[in-house]
Amino acid sequence: MHLFIQACILGLLTGGVYALMASGLTLAFGIMRVINVAQGALIILGAYASYILFTHFQIDPFVGVLVIAPAMFVLGVALQLAFLRVLRDQEREELSLLVTWAIALGIEGILSYAYNTTYRSTNTSYANRAWDVGGYLFPEVRVFAFALSIGIIVLLWIALTRTRFGRSVRATVQNPVSARLLGVDAARVSAIGFGLSAATAAAAGAVFGIVFSFNPGSHYDLISRLLTIIVLGGLGSLGGAVIAALFMGTSEAVFQVEISPTWAPLTFFILLIAILLVRPQGLFGVAARGAA
Amino acid sequence: MSKRTFKGGLLLLALAAIATVAAATAGASARRAGAGPIKIGISLSFSGDFSDPGKAAKRGYLLWQSVVNSHGGLLGRQVQLKIVDDASSPNQVVTNYQNLINRDHVDLVFGPFSTLLTAPAARMANRYGYAFVEPSGGGPAVFQEKLPNVFFAQPAPVINCGDPFAKWLLSLPKSQRPKTAAYPSLDDPFSSPIADRMRGQFEAAGIKTVYKTIYPPETTDLTPIVEKVASKHPDMVVGGTQSVDAYAQVKAMAQLKFNPKFLFLSNGASSPTEFPDKVGKGNTTGIFSCGDWFPNSNAPGNKQFIAAYLKKYGGNAFGIDSGSAEAYAVGQIVQAVAKRTGSIDNKTIIRTLHSGTWPTVEGNLSWDKYGSPRGSDLLVEWIGGKLLPVYPPSVALHKPVYPKPAWKG
């Protein structure tokens, strides 16, 4: 039982990190109907930025988020204006796959050129420490990462539900034409939305770089996991992404210790298929409507 | 097409064919006559998965070239390397060697990086009768090809990497040996077979296996697996690892405060620069791994290699990637054949290398008939922040430290 509970703790903490990573992806789809397969590469870019700040300027990764998140927000807005705004509504989902894939490969290429394929890791002084609570271990770095993830997701949720921008987003998601008629600047909403998505990738990258080793090619595995999470949670649903990420983290950890590491991913996908058979729209799926 | 045009075309084709044959013959004659530089073709990875080790190998090859040329060349001829990029692709590597042999008419070819690329490249070289001395294709896939032209320029096949550790451990008095062991390994042809081989040796010696598992390469979080290992309380952990999973295992063990008495990681822990950077210098002490080369070795030409390396590339001896030494050893082997036989003819190289021992920075090497080396790797251990050879005693710079000290956090 001790092993099971410890696995649940580790899985939940890891799931929290994945929740942050997936939140930007689901946000981009919810607002713009953009399947942003560059989200993984943006996270790795964030991990490199955080690594550089830490190794060259001794800035703690959690503090560094305050620098790289705004920078990545600007990058996200620029990418949206340059590559995604021009996509036509009726082909947006299909073309966004190709365009964001090209962005991902571009980011990977630049990072490979600059830093080659050597694995990096942001090795803070507390990277290997853990708190012992009643015989259960809580790795410090994962607790901080989990707390940051939840904090940012709550901020995102507040921004979407309690602000004028959030109302514009929701209006655009629900009915872009009516939103436009009511004066919502859908292009602006989309640009800011993508910028926010990139900013979450920056924060997620900082966290990812402390917990795991990474290189420019790490985004392939990452994006497949993130797509799985947002499909399970329901495309466009922030809450769904969080629940799905926590579920994935916990189930993988438990399957790894209770069944086998080889079977853990497969078991998760069997559960995923079973859930989608019952709820094809995912756990908290919403009927997404596109914006310009 | 008119008859005249057709005839003209035929004439042109015939002339082109004659010119090509004449050029090829002239080239071959020139090569036979030993005029001009010796051209050596090499395919290495400068992009893709093997770009880092590819660059290390390139440094080794270029260093050997500059050393040999500064000493009058090979058989009095300067050495010219033609190095091309294969982007870590098994298809491209074959195309590259085909071009090097057929288009560039190189005199010799040296091997690429990794078993994945060496196996198809060696097949290609064998088809044209080229000797294939290679620095890093030490996996079973290379030797299973049963090619007579292959010579792996390291002391032992990859799969035997754990043998020195097993030999040392089983040489300890029974009371000091571990009683139980766990084997978490990566699902990879260079990782889990090493752990399996070691498990066989330890089980035969009475060390009980309390847990073994294989995790897929896409497993990023190894903490739950290490938690499972810890729950079995093994005295010893033997990990068949590559690189990133080795770092993840160590970090997870430190986080979960699980400190086995003996910890062996087949790969990842053998990198003198990367490993401490990833897991923290304080967490390296007491971790064993295997190595084919180390800076303080007294192997033939090693001091000259290090001095030349530091002069050309800077840094310090402990920062030299073993991939550079392996590539340098390839050159040394061919150089030794030339010195012994007075020839660099491919047939002579293949015939000669099948007997005797050959001095290199990797030690004195010899091979079986399919190029698998007959020697043994070294047991290395992290002691005081440095990766040191600890077994066999003839090359050890320090006695093995055991049981493993506690994690430093």
Side-chain angles (χ1 to χ4, degrees), chain A residues 86-107:
Chain A
V86 293
L87 300 181
R88 285 187 302 193
D89 275 358
Q90 56 269 43
E91 297 164 335
R92 183 169 291 274
E93 284 167 36
E94 296 87 340
L95 287 178
S96 70
L97 264 176
L98 291 175
V99 170
T100 55
W101 185 240
I103 293 171
L105 294 182
I107 292 171

Side-chain angles (χ1 to χ4, degrees), chain B residues 242-260:
Chain B
Q242 272 298 341
S243 56
V244 69
D245 63 313
Y247 314 147
Q249 278 204 31
V250 170
K251 287 177 88 165
M253 284 185 203
Q255 285 177 359
L256 297 177
K257 303 180 196 295
F258 166 58
N259 190 39

